[in-house]
């Protein structure tokens, strides 16, 4: 037996002078094989390091036990929480996760979809990249549906595309964040907006402007600037806001990273948070509770996104007719009030 190649069923059969089918049955605990023979073959297989050919088995069973998960980044705790939620349900059932990071690239996302389909994954969980929105191309998503592979959007969705999804109520979260700043006495509230086109960006922006309208605050375009979710992307936009003749006294960041970047610039300019500029983020990332001052934010239940998406996948697997139904789950977001908005002598409602 060559040392540089894996041990096969034929090798074991040759050693025991029996047929490969007998070895296969013994390794699979087939009752027709004598118990002593089964034990001897199994012990020998373990001793020589025999491993089953999972690809061959998947071709026979028409199951691979593998799933694809495509996310735009793993730099934020939210994405890792979603994956934890998926794994907590699906890993105990024997599923292997292929985690792919698109880095907000349409071409990379498309390539991952093609490779996952080629490897016959049983389902794909997808958080859309920024470039996919910008490009307007979704042929790779159509190919998933054509192959009758379950596609479930997680956190970010492609609006108008017919597939199941689990998202957060970003609109309510943004509305609550803006309303909180108003109740803290802020008169000029800026918004550090996310990249154009993303559903999370637009829903948070809409929550912001609708809240201003409810309280009859004017919509000042000067107070709305674009970032890209990264902490560095908030530096220049925040400085521009502070350089305005009438600078903001409240800032709502599209996420915690952007809000933390804004807080850094505000303090570098000698201004006090929150009494001169109150700041609120979105995500409730772990760091938000440990910076100084601690950051008021909106909590997103990332792990629950993963568990709900897992439930949808399993229901589709159990009932093929469920594949024809589009399930849309929107989870609640909740405001977490901390020091960055608690102005002196003003209490929140």
């Amino acid at each position: 037996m060559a040392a540089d190649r894996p041990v096969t069923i034929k090798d074991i059969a040759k050693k025991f002078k029996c047929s490969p089918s007998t070895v296969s049955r013994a390794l699979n605990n087939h009752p027709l094989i004598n118990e002593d023979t089964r034990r001897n073959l199994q012990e020998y297989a373990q001793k020589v390091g025999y491993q089953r050919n999972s690809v061959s088995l998947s071709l026979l069973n028409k199951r691979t036990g593998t799933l694809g998960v495509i996310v735009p980044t793993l730099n934020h705790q939210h994405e890792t929480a979603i994956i934890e939620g998926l794994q907590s349900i699906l890993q105990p059932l024997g599923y292997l996760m292929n985690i792919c990071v698109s880095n907000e690239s349409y071409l990379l996302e498309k390539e991952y979809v093609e490779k996952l389909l080629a490897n016959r994954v049983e389902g794909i969980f997808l958080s859309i990249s920024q470039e996919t929105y910008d490009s307007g191309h979704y042929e790779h998503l159509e190919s998933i549906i054509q192959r009758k592979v379950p596609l479930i959007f997680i956190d970010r969705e492609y609006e108008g595309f017919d597939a199941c999804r689990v998202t957060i109520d970003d609109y309510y979260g943004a509305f609550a964040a803006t309303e909180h700043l108003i109740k803290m006495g802020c008169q000029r509230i800026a918004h550090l907006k996310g990249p154009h086109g993303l559903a999370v960006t637009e829903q948070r922006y809409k929550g912001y402007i609708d809240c201003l309208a409810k309280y009859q605050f004017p919509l000042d375009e000067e107070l709305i600037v674009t970032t890209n979710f990264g902490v560095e992307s908030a530096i220049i936009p925040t400085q521009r806001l502070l350089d305005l003749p009438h600078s903001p006294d409240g800032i709502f960041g599209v996420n915690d990273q952007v809000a933390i970047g804004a807080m850094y610039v505000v303090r570098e300019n000698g201004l006090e948070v929150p009494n001169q500029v109150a700041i609120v983020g979105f995500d409730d990332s772990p760091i938000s509770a440990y910076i100084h001052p601690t950051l008021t934010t909106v909590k997103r239940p990332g792990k629950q996104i993963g568990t709900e998406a897992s439930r949808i996948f399993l229901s589709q697997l159990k009932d093929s007719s469920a594949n024809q139904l589009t399930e849309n789950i929107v989870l609640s977001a909740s405001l977490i009030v901390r020091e960055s908005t608690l102005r002196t002598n003003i209490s929140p409602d």
Side-chain angles (χ1 to χ4, degrees), residues 82-203:
I82 292 173
I83 293 170
E84 285 174 10
L86 291 168
Q87 289 183 319
S88 70
I89 302 297
L90 297 171
Q91 201 169 45
L93 297 177
Y95 285 100
L96 177 68
M97 301 280 189
N98 293 296
I99 312 296
C100 308
V101 182
S102 67
N103 290 319
E104 304 287 10
S105 165
Y106 159 71
L107 290 176
L108 199 51
E109 179 180 290
K110 180 173 178 288
E111 181 183 339
Y112 283 140
V113 167
E114 291 169 352
K115 288 182 176 179
L116 290 170
L117 290 177
N119 284 304
R120 302 175 65 248
V121 294
E122 295 184 37
I124 294 178
F125 301 90
L126 173 62
S127 184
I128 288 288
S129 74
Q130 173 65 42
E131 284 189 3
T132 300
Y133 279 101
D134 294 342
S135 69
H137 294 303
Y138 54 86
E139 294 84 359
H140 60 307
L141 306 183
E142 293 282 7
S143 67
I144 301 173
I145 304 301
Q146 288 168 4
R147 292 278 291 273
K148 296 184 179 179
V149 174
L151 169 63
I152 302 164
F153 290 121
I154 47 175
D155 194 40
R156 295 186 191 177
E157 56 181 315
Y158 198 105
E159 291 183 336
F161 194 87
D162 192 24
C164 294
R165 61 204 67 205
V166 184
T167 58
I168 300 295
D169 193 343
D170 291 290
Y171 173 87
Y172 169 79
F175 192 102
T178 308
E179 184 176 56
H180 174 65
L181 288 172
I182 291 171
K183 291 183 176 181
M184 288 296 97
C186 297
Q187 298 296 312
R188 285 178 57 76
I189 301 171
H191 179 37
L192 294 172
K193 192 172 180 279
H196 176 72
L198 283 175
V200 293
T201 294
E202 301 308 326
Q203 285 299 308

Side-chain angles (χ1 to χ4, degrees), residues 35-331:
E35 186 177 343
D36 289 338
T37 303
R38 270 187 281 163
R39 184 175 61 252
N40 290 336
L41 285 167
Q42 289 172 3
E43 287 177 355
Y44 179 77
Q46 184 175 9
K47 179 182 175 182
V48 296
Y50 168 75
Q51 290 185 322
R52 299 186 184 197
N53 188 327
S54 58
V55 175
S56 298
L57 286 171
S58 70
L59 290 172
L60 289 171
N61 301 332
K62 295 186 179 179
R63 291 192 67 241
T64 60
T66 59
L67 299 166
V69 182
I70 307 176
V71 292
T73 179
L74 282 178
N75 291 336
H76 304 140
Q77 187 269 345
H78 182 64
E79 283 78 13
T80 57
I82 292 173
I83 293 170
E84 285 174 10
L86 291 168
Q87 289 183 319
S88 70
I89 302 297
L90 297 171
Q91 201 169 45
L93 297 177
Y95 285 100
L96 177 68
M97 301 280 189
N98 293 296
I99 312 296
C100 308
V101 182
S102 67
N103 290 319
E104 304 287 10
S105 165
Y106 159 71
L107 290 176
L108 199 51
E109 179 180 290
K110 180 173 178 288
E111 181 183 339
Y112 283 140
V113 167
E114 291 169 352
K115 288 182 176 179
L116 290 170
L117 290 177
N119 284 304
R120 302 175 65 248
V121 294
E122 295 184 37
I124 294 178
F125 301 90
L126 173 62
S127 184
I128 288 288
S129 74
Q130 173 65 42
E131 284 189 3
T132 300
Y133 279 101
D134 294 342
S135 69
H137 294 303
Y138 54 86
E139 294 84 359
H140 60 307
L141 306 183
E142 293 282 7
S143 67
I144 301 173
I145 304 301
Q146 288 168 4
R147 292 278 291 273
K148 296 184 179 179
V149 174
L151 169 63
I152 302 164
F153 290 121
I154 47 175
D155 194 40
R156 295 186 191 177
E157 56 181 315
Y158 198 105
E159 291 183 336
F161 194 87
D162 192 24
C164 294
R165 61 204 67 205
V166 184
T167 58
I168 300 295
D169 193 343
D170 291 290
Y171 173 87
Y172 169 79
F175 192 102
T178 308
E179 184 176 56
H180 174 65
L181 288 172
I182 291 171
K183 291 183 176 181
M184 288 296 97
C186 297
Q187 298 296 312
R188 285 178 57 76
I189 301 171
H191 179 37
L192 294 172
K193 192 172 180 279
H196 176 72
L198 283 175
V200 293
T201 294
E202 301 308 326
Q203 285 299 308
R204 292 176 196 179
Y205 173 63
K206 191 172 188 304
Y208 161 77
I209 62 174
D210 283 0
C211 185
L212 293 182
K214 176 185 175 180
Y215 288 91
Q216 299 182 331
F217 276 52
L219 181 62
D220 188 342
E221 296 292 342
E222 279 190 328
L223 295 178
I224 302 165
V225 289
T226 301
T227 67
N228 67 9
F229 295 131
V231 63
E232 302 89 351
S233 71
I235 304 301
I236 294 175
T238 304
Q239 188 59 57
R240 287 175 181 164
L241 289 171
L242 297 181
D243 289 340
L244 292 172
H246 300 289
S247 60
D249 57 357
I251 296 175
F252 166 42
V254 69
N255 68 358
D256 286 348
Q257 293 295 311
V258 164
I260 289 170
M263 187 184 295
Y264 170 80
V265 176
V266 168
R267 297 181 71 184
E268 283 292 297
N269 278 263
L271 300 173
E272 185 186 353
V273 178
N275 286 331
Q276 290 178 286
V277 184
I279 299 174
V280 58
F282 207 114
D283 280 350
D284 192 29
S285 56
I287 191 65
S288 64
Y290 296 99
I291 59 172
H292 179 72
T294 54
L295 181 66
T296 293
T297 184
V298 177
K299 182 178 180 62
R300 292 197 288 169
K303 186 172 182 179
Q304 192 181 353
I305 292 178
T307 57
E308 288 293 336
S310 300
R311 183 190 60 75
I312 292 174
F313 166 73
L314 292 172
S315 68
Q316 290 186 346
L317 206 64
K318 186 177 180 181
D319 181 5
S320 59
S321 64
N323 283 309
Q324 309 302 319
L325 303 174
T326 301
E327 193 168 352
N328 182 15
I329 297 176
V330 181
L331 302 175

